Amino acid sequence: MADLAGKTLFITGASRGIGKAIALRAAKDGANVVIAAKTATPHPKLEGTIYTAAEEIEQAGGKALPLIVDVRDEDQIQAAVTQAVECFGGLDILINNASAIMLTGTLQTPLKRFDLMHQVNARGTFACSQACIPHLLKADNPHILNISPPLNLNPRWFQGHVAYTMAKYGMSMCVLGMAAEFARKGLAVNALWPRTPIATAAVENLLGGEQMMRQSRTVDIMADAAHLVLTRDAKTCTGNFFIDDELLAEAGVTDLSKYAVDPTQELLPDFFLD
């Protein structure tokens, strides 16, 4: 499958960042995109809403359905999936992108934040998958793609931020389990993670500020890598933990300079990868 024309994508957290970038890449093919995110009114520190994202998707050549969805709310998820199917006739792809982050040690992590990360990352991914799978199983080439890291039980990935790692690995464990569970039914379940930090609001506001942004890659590399996964045969491409630059290299794209925010800066490695 060369492109995503006519396919319907349900993307959580698609009002900005990586989720929106994946949506816009699909829209260039003429895809339908369900923007399932919380931001309905402008945020003082964060750019974009589900409605501004919808405008961009339409301008890029796709069809958009902006829906207010908090992935912690089962009823909102189910209502959004129902609306999406009624609007576009079915679902082909689910992108579990919505995520909460707080890189703090055990004693510095309020339980409120622990709960938020687990509710959004692990539980939200499971809940959205559970709601979408009955519809995905009716599609010709159904995919679930979680924006989550490869599983690695080396303590170094836990010791500085055990709560976040547990929550994020929960998304990855969904890949491990669901890929095996639905392999015979032709549903692909994969993960995608970046080699470097990606220039998003989370990096700027919560992680490393302007300097880290300059040492990051743009969201476009994740969008292009996701597109390569989503256009593969679901029956033969499942249970993988993909890294963005490795996927592009397989496709013959080795010059990644266009993805650098500031080509004069040395890129930082992502903290979940060696």
Side-chain angles (χ1 to χ4, degrees), residues 174-235:
C174 284
V175 171
L176 196 67
M178 292 179 191
E181 182 179 358
F182 295 101
R184 291 185 179 180
K185 294 189 176 181
L187 170 60
V189 188
N190 295 290
L192 176 63
W193 198 245
R195 175 75 60 191
T196 71
I198 299 297
T200 62
V203 167
E204 186 172 21
N205 298 328
L206 299 174
L207 300 182
E210 183 182 346
Q211 182 55 40
M212 191 171 183
M213 290 283 280
R214 292 175 63 197
Q215 292 180 271
S216 300
R217 284 179 173 147
T218 67
V219 292
D220 294 334
I221 190 169
M222 287 291 281
D224 289 345
H227 190 271
L228 290 172
V229 177
L230 301 174
T231 51
R232 289 186 176 184
D233 184 353
K235 294 180 178 64

Side-chain angles (χ1 to χ4, degrees), residues 102-109 154-165 271-272:
M102 187 175 186
L103 299 180
T104 47
T106 300
L107 301 181
Q108 292 77 38
T109 306
N154 187 317
R156 67 181 287 198
W157 308 123
F158 291 82
Q159 63 185 13
H161 36 75
V162 63
Y164 174 67
T165 299
F271 59 78
F272 274 126

Side-chain angles (χ1 to χ4, degrees), residues 76-128:
Q76 286 187 24
I77 294 169
Q78 195 58 60
V81 170
T82 299
Q83 262 189 275
V85 171
E86 287 175 354
C87 181
F88 296 122
L91 290 177
D92 298 282
I93 293 165
L94 166 64
I95 309 289
N96 286 306
N97 166 72
S99 191
I101 184 170
M102 187 175 186
L103 299 180
T104 47
T106 300
L107 301 181
Q108 292 77 38
T109 306
L111 282 177
K112 185 176 180 180
R113 292 294 299 191
F114 179 98
D115 290 343
L116 175 67
M117 288 189 284
H118 281 74
Q119 288 165 357
V120 172
N121 301 359
R123 186 180 184 276
T125 292
F126 187 91
C128 289

